Amino acid sequence: MPLLFIGHGNPMNAIEVNEFSQQWHKIGNELPTPKAILCISAHWETQATFITAMERPKTIHDFYGFPPELFQVQYPAKGNPKLAAEIQNAVKHTSIELDHQWGLDHGCWSVLTHVYPNAEIPVLQLSMDRTKNAQWHFDFGKELAQLRSQGILLIGSGNLVHNLSLVDWKNPDGGYPWAEEARTIFNNYIRSNNIQALINYSSLGKSAALAIPTPEHFLPLLYVLGAKQADEQIAFFNDKFVMKSLSMTSLLID
């Protein structure tokens, strides 16, 4: 299976038809049909590693202040407890615990509602251990690469540039100069396969520090790059800014 990193942005993308959601839908039509989806979302951080293992994961509305119709959205994809247990047993990088409480958060379902609008593919979520460093998350992604040959689509969902404290609601188009600079730095390192520079993002200067004030939206990228094979091609899409400090930059790797 290919790999996806999705810049998910505003939860409203789940119910809006815009250039970003239309591209997600287009990607879904072009992908081979997966056996299941494993999503690593910025919005599930834990102090260990968990994988959803319920038959019917709930749709989590993990936000506030949005219109009622967004809270009414349900993404009724099935889970796959058997697959969750298989992944738990196959992974040696860390101990994975089976979770029966979480579900699908908006980092996952707001994207999948366009990629696979019929919710016909089983979906599992994998949590990110907030106690681990960037190298650890990248190395975990390398081990998850084995799932691709089993027909499992790996999706990392976050944002390369994500600074909510500096969003500009009145001027939504384009990015701040520092955000544009950070996006260029990140994209160039992705294109040149300089993964170590991305792992060491805290050493990339002031613009990167503003782009990644906290790591949870950046780390899903490292899982995806970890699962990438050396000879695979990277295609960028949705490589634009919204509200000045959010990059919707997304990657298809195949």
Side-chain angles (χ1 to χ4, degrees):
M1 289 300 299
L3 294 162
L4 282 174
F5 172 77
I6 302 290
H8 64 250
N10 191 325
M12 287 296 291
N13 288 319
I15 59 174
E16 291 180 351
V17 177
N18 55 39
E19 61 180 310
F20 307 119
S21 64
Q22 288 178 318
Q23 188 62 36
W24 297 341
H25 183 71
K26 179 175 182 291
I27 290 289
N29 286 334
E30 295 172 350
L31 289 172
T33 303
K35 168 187 171 183
I37 297 165
L38 181 64
C39 184
I40 300 102
S41 165
H43 295 280
W44 193 20
E45 290 186 281
T46 53
Q47 290 191 349
T49 302
F50 296 84
I51 190 168
T52 54
M54 65 284 287
E55 291 281 357
R56 291 282 182 178
K58 63 186 176 183
T59 302
I60 304 172
H61 299 89
D62 50 335
F63 41 71
Y64 58 91
F66 288 94
E69 54 265 35
L70 185 59
F71 291 89
Q72 294 167 8
V73 175
Q74 296 293 314
Y75 191 74
K78 294 181 181 179
N80 190 326
K82 182 175 181 291
L83 179 59
E86 290 173 355
I87 294 173
Q88 179 192 44
N89 292 329
V91 166
K92 308 303 179 187
H93 182 71
T94 188
S95 175
I96 298 179
E97 299 182 41
L98 300 180
D99 174 84
H100 298 89
Q101 302 299 321
W102 187 249
L104 306 179
D105 61 53
H106 83 269
C108 180
W109 64 260
S110 70
V111 172
L112 290 182
T113 194
H114 296 287
V115 179
Y116 295 109
N118 295 324
E120 72 275 25
I121 311 296
V123 182
L124 293 78
Q125 270 200 234
L126 183 73
S127 75
M128 294 190 300
D129 187 340
R130 64 167 62 92
T131 70
K132 306 299 185 182
N133 62 24
Q135 182 71 56
W136 186 93
H137 291 286
F138 173 76
D139 291 340
F140 195 178
K142 290 173 68 174
E143 186 171 11
L144 293 175
Q146 64 182 296
L147 302 176
R148 300 176 62 190
S149 63
Q150 301 174 32
I152 298 169
L153 175 63
L154 300 181
I155 299 178
S157 179
N159 291 99
L160 294 191
V161 177
H162 184 270
N163 193 324
L164 293 183
S165 68
L166 295 177
V167 296
D168 187 340
W169 298 97
K170 295 181 179 179
N171 300 290
D173 296 327
Y176 292 115
W178 61 262
E180 297 273 5
E181 178 182 349
R183 189 265 304 269
T184 298
I185 291 171
F186 299 151
N187 286 5
N188 286 342
Y189 283 137
I190 292 169
R191 289 189 179 98
S192 63
N193 203 38
N194 190 340
I195 307 302
Q196 201 58 50
L198 294 166
I199 290 171
N200 298 329
Y201 64 86
S202 59
S203 301
L204 295 179
K206 184 177 180 180
S207 63
L210 287 168
I212 312 173
T214 55
E216 76 286 341
H217 277 75
F218 188 78
L219 292 176
L221 169 71
L222 298 183
Y223 281 84
V224 171
L225 294 179
K228 175 184 177 293
Q229 302 303 308
D231 60 344
E232 290 184 303
Q233 300 301 307
I234 298 176
F236 286 77
F237 63 97
N238 286 351
D239 193 19
K240 294 185 177 181
F241 280 94
V242 293
M243 296 181 289
K244 293 292 193 289
S245 64
L246 295 176
S247 166
M248 298 295 291
T249 304
S250 302
L251 311 175
L252 171 63
I253 299 173
D254 196 0

